[in-house]
Amino acid sequence: MSKNILVMLEQREGRILPASYQLFTPARKLAQALGGQVVACLVGDAVSALTGAVGAYQPQTIYTVEHPELKFYRAGAYAAAACAVIDEAQPKGVLFATSFMGRDWAARTAARKRGALAIDCTELVPDGEDLIASKTLYAGKVTAAFRLSSSRLQVATVRANVFSAPAPQSGASAPVQAVPVNFSPADTRVVVKQVVQTSSGIKDVTEADAIVAGGRALKNEEGFQKVIFPLAAALDGAVGASRAACDAGYQPHSRQVGLTGKVVTPKLYIACGIDGAIQHLAGMRGSKVIVAVNTKKEAPIFKVATYGCVADLFALVPLITEEVKKLHAH
Amino acid sequence: MKILCVVKQVPDSNATVKVRADGKDIESAGVKLVVDPFDEFGVELAVQLREKGNPVSEIVAITVGDDKAGEALRTALAMGADRALHLNDAKFASSNELFTAYLMAQAVRKEGETFDLVVCGKQNIDLDSGATGAALAEFLDLPHVAAVQGFELTDGGRRFTARRRIEGAEEVLEGELPVVLTIDKGLVEARYPSLPNLMKAKKKPLKVFTAADIPGEEAGSAGTHVDRLTPPAPRPDCKFIEGEPAAMAKELVRLLREEAKVV
Ligand SMILES: Cc1cc2nc3c(=O)[nH]c(=O)nc-3n(C[C@H](O)[C@H](O)[C@H](O)COP(=O)(O)OP(=O)(O)OC[C@H]3O[C@@H](n4cnc5c(N)ncnc54)[C@H](O)[C@@H]3O)c2cc1C
Ligand SMILES: Nc1ncnc2c1ncn2[C@@H]1O[C@H](COP(=O)(O)O)[C@@H](O)[C@H]1O
């Protein structure tokens, strides 16, 4: 085993997930503490074109695994690819971004390697040869530090937007090493038939840096269209909703934020007419900056908000949209 | 077709959760415990597949946990599962998803059981990982599809089509059984077990496994351990912005720009 940290980059259709680049920040810190290097890995059917962009983050080596079976993400096949790179690179630790893909991919890879695993970490610090990985439990009500034993491969996924990506060095490049992969029958038995893009124009809550979310107070779908969507568009962000708003049919469940919806950690979360029930907070309290707009000063959403506006959302939010547009006009 | 439903007992989402003085676990006194809502979706899916006339011969519920956690199995049985497997030993107590998945895979192997469908919740509301189902699939040497929001059996129950939503896209996947699924919200609404069914559940078979049945595996030697639990760092107090709507909007956007630097 080396002292290196392996960064697993997530790409779909040739686009690297922005949160993947953020992994270089904790990876560098860990590698430095261990006296090792950062290495990176790209997996897909054709990823060579992406090595230039990754090289700008100066990993010591970029491992690529290319195979037609890797065109679409499937946990088994991608775990096989990850394990092939782990066997080649012999890292001490492996980092993935927390995402639908990352949670899954990391778990299957760690299981295959009988490694030690922590999902959705907000802090990673070495303690001797062990890794202390912190994450929240019980919907954000507790923070847990897990000790990942040095006797195992240490695998962690890192929550988006906790770390900022380092600045890419233009002109920098890294050596590329192709790694062959073999699949077991179970790895390729499920077939991806179709991938339909769902975010027509407006981003998905799980991939936006800014989310504007609405609650029951919006009253109907039109309320979202008139008030929430324009601000989301002005911020190049996504639209989120409380369960009450989704259950009432104002927005599809794919936009629900919370315990039984999506857990999101954008840089900016604007909650409009959302009371802040514990189950909603479970999905968004990890956001960097939270703005709450609510007519009721006692609403629990203000307990987690960075900025609070006690106001009627129908009057205030369109004015916020105007102000944001003015900013961007300059 | 045999279906295995993985269930776990967790604190109710409305419960106040406090860290125990030794920092190794949470205070259990007074905390209301429920079946994880995502796991309820899994049991519901299994029961609905049977009700729709698919050739479901048996629905088996499994959990790893103490005596109290066995209540989750009783709920699953009352919802329609036929029998239950309970891995119950102090040596099994762990918040390590890989370890828990490994134990369940070992119990299934030991029983010589094969399942055509294994359903787990997308993730649990306590550990919030979404790792156990994937790891269980790995240890059972089965493929899996995570965060499933649409599921149909085809070809007389030999094949399936699953739909899931990922960041910005919807995926449609197909394959042969056996497969492991982790279930997201939106596929089914879980039923409340009726009182008669709760009574009947008490008579359904439940088999207990202890460390003696799965030798060589104990939480102490697993790779991940709780080092310490702490209350979350408090968020700074809310800064209330005063004034008329127009002034409020202006000041908010100024703060987002100049102080928070997020727009
Ligand atoms: C197991 C379980 C899981 C759950 N999962 C989720 C989940 O994933 N996500 C989720 O969101 N909820 C979830 N819930 C539901 C949650 O408990 C709340 O019921 C829900 O979040 C309430 O939504 P809301 O804040 O939009 O509605 P309300 O509670 O009705 O709040 C509306 C708010 O809007 C304010 N308001 C009204 N008019 C205006 C106006 N003109 N301008 C400004 N403010 C106004 C009110 O003051 C109030 O604060 C779950 C519950 C359970 C039991
Ligand atoms: N102790 C346990 N017993 C049974 N199932 C469990 C246990 N722990 C986790 N799971 C299952 O794993 C899934 C959640 O995964 P995770 O979020 O990784 O804990 C749920 O379906 C759980 O029921």
Side-chain angles (χ1 to χ4, degrees):
Chain A
M1 200 194 286
S2 74
K3 295 177 184 311
N4 294 349
I5 302 295
L6 173 63
V7 167
M8 300 299 297
L9 297 153
E10 172 172 338
Q11 69 82 27
R12 276 210 207 99
E13 294 175 16
R15 180 176 166 265
I16 294 178
L17 187 79
S20 289
Y21 289 127
Q22 296 169 2
L23 298 173
F24 281 103
T25 300
R28 282 181 189 176
K29 248 179 67 191
L30 287 174
Q32 203 170 23
L34 293 163
Q37 302 285 335
V38 176
V39 294
C41 170
L42 278 163
V43 174
D45 63 335
V47 293
S48 303
L50 300 173
T51 54
V54 176
Y57 294 87
Q58 298 168 294
Q60 190 199 37
T61 305
I62 303 172
Y63 296 94
T64 57
V65 188
E66 293 186 302
H67 194 287
E69 292 280 9
L70 299 168
K71 178 166 167 54
F72 296 110
Y73 172 74
R74 281 173 299 172
Y78 268 55
C83 289
V85 171
I86 290 164
D87 290 343
E88 178 64 31
Q90 295 288 320
K92 181 165 169 56
V94 189
L95 304 185
F96 295 78
T98 305
S99 63
F100 278 104
M101 194 194 284
R103 283 182 194 265
D104 216 39
W105 190 11
R108 216 155 169 148
T109 302
R112 200 166 286 194
K113 287 282 159 205
R114 294 306 309 269
L117 174 70
I119 297 277
D120 202 21
C121 301
T122 53
E123 201 181 318
L124 296 167
V125 288
D127 181 23
E129 294 280 296
D130 290 350
L131 176 65
I132 307 293
S134 298
K135 63 173 288 187
T136 62
L137 304 185
Y138 305 101
K141 294 174 200 170
V142 172
T143 302
F146 283 101
R147 179 176 293 273
L148 275 52
S149 163
S150 62
S151 62
R152 312 229 181 189
L153 178 72
Q154 295 159 345
V155 181
T157 81
V158 180
R159 179 173 277 197
N161 296 327
V162 170
F163 299 96
S164 319
Q169 293 297 311
S170 57
S173 69
V176 176
Q177 185 180 337
V179 177
V181 61
N182 289 308
F183 303 109
S184 79
D187 290 338
T188 52
R189 224 184 280 143
V190 171
V191 179
V192 178
K193 275 296 187 202
Q194 205 183 7
V195 181
V196 185
Q197 301 298 321
T198 46
S199 47
S200 44
I202 204 91
K203 282 190 176 145
D204 196 75
V205 285
T206 46
E207 58 169 11
D209 280 344
I211 296 173
V212 185
R216 200 196 315 258
L218 270 299
K219 294 201 182 90
N220 46 40
E221 196 193 339
E222 209 194 342
F224 272 85
Q225 290 299 341
K226 269 200 181 140
V227 179
I228 303 296
F229 277 80
L231 180 54
L235 291 165
D236 187 25
V239 170
S242 72
R243 180 166 110 174
C246 294
D247 283 354
Y250 308 166
Q251 286 299 306
H253 278 289
S254 56
R255 298 215 164 98
Q256 182 181 320
V257 172
L259 191 73
T260 45
K262 306 271 166 62
V263 176
V264 296
T265 54
K267 290 181 184 146
L268 175 60
Y269 189 91
I270 305 184
C272 308
I274 292 179
D275 202 52
I278 191 85
Q279 296 90 356
H280 188 80
L281 302 186
M284 44 64 76
R285 70 195 305 163
S287 307
K288 193 170 161 225
V289 173
I290 297 170
V291 174
V293 179
N294 200 301
T295 40
K296 192 173 70 182
K297 185 154 191 180
E298 314 76 55
I301 190 74
F302 289 120
K303 293 215 172 75
V304 300
T306 324
Y307 301 113
C309 299
V310 180
D312 177 7
L313 73 92
F314 293 100
L316 182 66
V317 176
L319 295 168
I320 300 174
T321 307
E322 286 314 307
E323 290 297 327
V324 171
K325 281 190 186 155
K326 271 193 225 162
L327 264 189
H328 293 161
H330 289 296
Chain B
M1 177 186 308
K2 269 172 66 174
I3 305 179
L4 181 68
C5 297
V6 170
V7 295
K8 188 183 187 189
Q9 191 180 53
V10 296
D12 185 84
S13 60
N14 277 315
T16 305
V17 176
K18 290 220 178 72
V19 177
R20 211 166 64 189
D22 68 359
K24 293 291 179 193
D25 206 339
I26 58 166
E27 294 279 7
S28 56
V31 175
K32 184 182 167 200
L33 298 165
V34 296
V35 179
D36 189 275
F38 290 103
D39 290 347
E40 284 186 327
F41 298 148
V43 179
E44 181 65 36
L45 173 70
V47 176
Q48 286 191 14
L49 286 174
R50 169 183 271 165
E51 287 172 350
K52 282 181 189 150
N54 291 292
V56 177
S57 57
E58 226 188 358
I59 300 173
V60 182
I62 186 169
T63 200
V64 183
D66 59 11
D67 292 346
K68 182 101 178 110
E71 290 167 8
L73 292 175
R74 291 294 168 201
T75 305
L77 292 169
M79 287 175 74
D82 303 305
R83 63 184 167 93
L85 308 174
H86 188 178
L87 286 79
N88 183 354
D89 198 301
K91 286 182 177 153
F92 296 161
S94 165
S95 329
N96 177 336
E97 299 88 353
L98 297 186
F99 175 68
T100 306
Y102 190 78
L103 287 177
M104 289 193 276
Q106 290 299 94
V108 167
R109 285 238 162 77
K110 181 162 165 93
E111 285 297 280
E113 298 218 51
T114 53
F115 291 94
D116 305 285
L117 197 57
V118 178
V119 286
C120 304
K122 177 187 77 165
Q123 63 195 60
N124 278 149
I125 65 170
D126 58 348
L127 300 182
D128 197 4
S129 293
T132 312
L136 178 59
E138 184 64 31
F139 294 135
L140 292 173
D141 198 21
L142 294 177
H144 84 275
V145 184
V148 170
Q149 289 195 317
F151 183 77
E152 276 150 46
L153 289 168
T154 57
D155 198 12
R158 279 184 292 272
R159 297 182 59 82
F160 71 90
T161 303
R163 264 169 295 125
R164 64 189 215 117
R165 267 184 185 273
I166 51 172
E167 295 87 356
E170 190 179 81
E171 281 184 356
V172 182
L173 301 102
E174 287 180 7
E176 260 168 48
L177 300 185
V179 69
V180 178
L181 307 175
T182 82
I183 312 296
D184 202 347
K185 188 188 156 131
L187 181 54
V188 288
E189 286 294 331
R191 71 192 63 194
Y192 289 106
S194 68
L195 200 57
N197 284 344
L198 279 165
M199 298 310 289
K200 271 193 238 157
K202 291 193 177 138
K203 298 200 189 81
K204 289 185 178 177
L206 186 152
K207 176 162 182 176
V208 176
F209 293 79
T210 65
D213 299 306
I214 307 173
E217 289 301 324
E218 45 184 285
S221 54
T224 307
H225 304 277
V226 171
D227 206 47
R228 93 201 93 81
L229 302 183
T230 45
R235 288 192 74 101
D237 280 347
C238 179
K239 189 181 262 188
F240 282 97
I241 301 168
E242 315 286 341
E244 287 306 304
M248 206 184 245
K250 214 180 182 85
E251 175 64 359
L252 172 67
V253 175
R254 187 190 71 78
L255 288 167
L256 291 178
R257 178 85 166 187
E258 292 171 14
E259 190 175 78
K261 299 190 169 64
V262 288
V263 295

